[in-house]
Amino acid sequence: MEALPRAFAWKLIVVDNEYHALKGKWKMMAEKLLEEAVRARLNAYAPYSRFLVGASIETENGNVYSGCNVENASYGLTDCAEASAISAMVTAGERKIKQMTVVTDASELTFACGACRQRIYEFASPETIVHFYNLSGKHESKKIKDLLPNGFGPKDLLSDKE
Ligand code: THU
């Protein structure tokens, strides 16, 4: 594994948002998620947009999965980083996202696209937090219920027995 870029000295910076609410092991895992998302981002295949994105997931079981965006010459076939991370999680046999991290190099924070909010919602609880970072140290954390209010999901199609 190559070393993290120097820009990541900022990763312990505490900012005024829901990150403060993270405690103990959960906060430590949020830092691990950041590191994993940063690493995954370095593998992004984004020759067309040159917008590299890394994502990572901590599941309810405490395991971590990561993903990057994978573009295609047929642009519409592009996979977002969030989608790749979710695929890695499901492939490994897990389905419950506890928290998630997304990293870009945009000067202003960017938040998950609409399609990815829906993808996350499928495997999240309403309180699941998604952390967004850029490489300059900006950071905000949001609950999926705020990213996708009134979301349509498994609860609308599956009975409690399933
Ligand atoms: N992208 C992501 O990976 N996640 C997002 O939430 C937004 C967009 C990727 C898709 C494409 O490769 C590039 O960023 C520009 O849209």
Side-chain angles (χ1 to χ4, degrees):
M1 288 279 198
E2 55 189 309
L4 288 175
R6 287 168 61 86
F8 282 82
W10 55 263
K11 80 174 186 174
L12 296 178
I13 291 171
V14 178
V15 290
D16 184 23
N17 57 30
E18 287 187 47
Y19 194 57
H20 287 299
L22 299 177
K23 292 208 167 67
K25 192 174 170 212
W26 204 37
K27 180 172 175 193
M28 270 169 52
M29 190 53 94
E31 287 168 7
K32 163 127 179 97
L33 282 184
L34 175 58
E35 189 172 321
E36 292 299 319
V38 168
R39 284 189 194 286
R41 181 184 167 277
L42 295 175
N43 291 330
Y45 176 72
Y48 308 110
S49 72
R50 300 188 183 191
F51 190 75
L52 281 62
V53 187
S56 57
I57 292 170
E58 182 194 2
T59 62
E60 293 287 351
N61 291 338
N63 296 315
V64 174
Y65 302 94
S66 59
C68 59
N69 51 331
V70 183
E71 297 187 347
N72 193 283
S74 178
Y75 297 161
L77 299 182
T78 292
D79 293 326
C80 285
E82 297 90 327
S84 298
I86 288 170
S87 292
M89 172 188 77
V90 174
T91 301
E94 295 206 50
R95 297 184 176 177
K96 294 230 180 302
I97 300 174
K98 185 171 175 188
Q99 54 178 334
M100 185 159 183
T101 290
V102 181
V103 176
T104 74
D105 193 20
S107 53
E108 293 301 319
L109 280 182
T110 63
F111 300 94
C113 74
C116 284
R117 294 175 194 209
Q118 181 71 30
R119 289 187 176 106
I120 296 165
Y121 190 88
E122 182 75 20
F123 299 104
S125 75
E127 302 297 321
T128 294
I129 291 181
V130 188
H131 310 281
F132 298 95
Y133 294 86
N134 71 7
L135 295 185
S136 313
K138 287 190 179 157
H139 168 220
E140 269 187 54
S141 299
K142 294 181 182 291
K143 291 182 178 171
I144 189 67
K145 70 178 182 187
D146 299 320
L147 289 167
L148 190 66
N150 308 118
F152 179 81
K155 68 179 179 347
D156 300 301
L157 294 178
L158 303 176
S159 76
D160 291 342
K161 296 193 184 85
E162 288 180 90

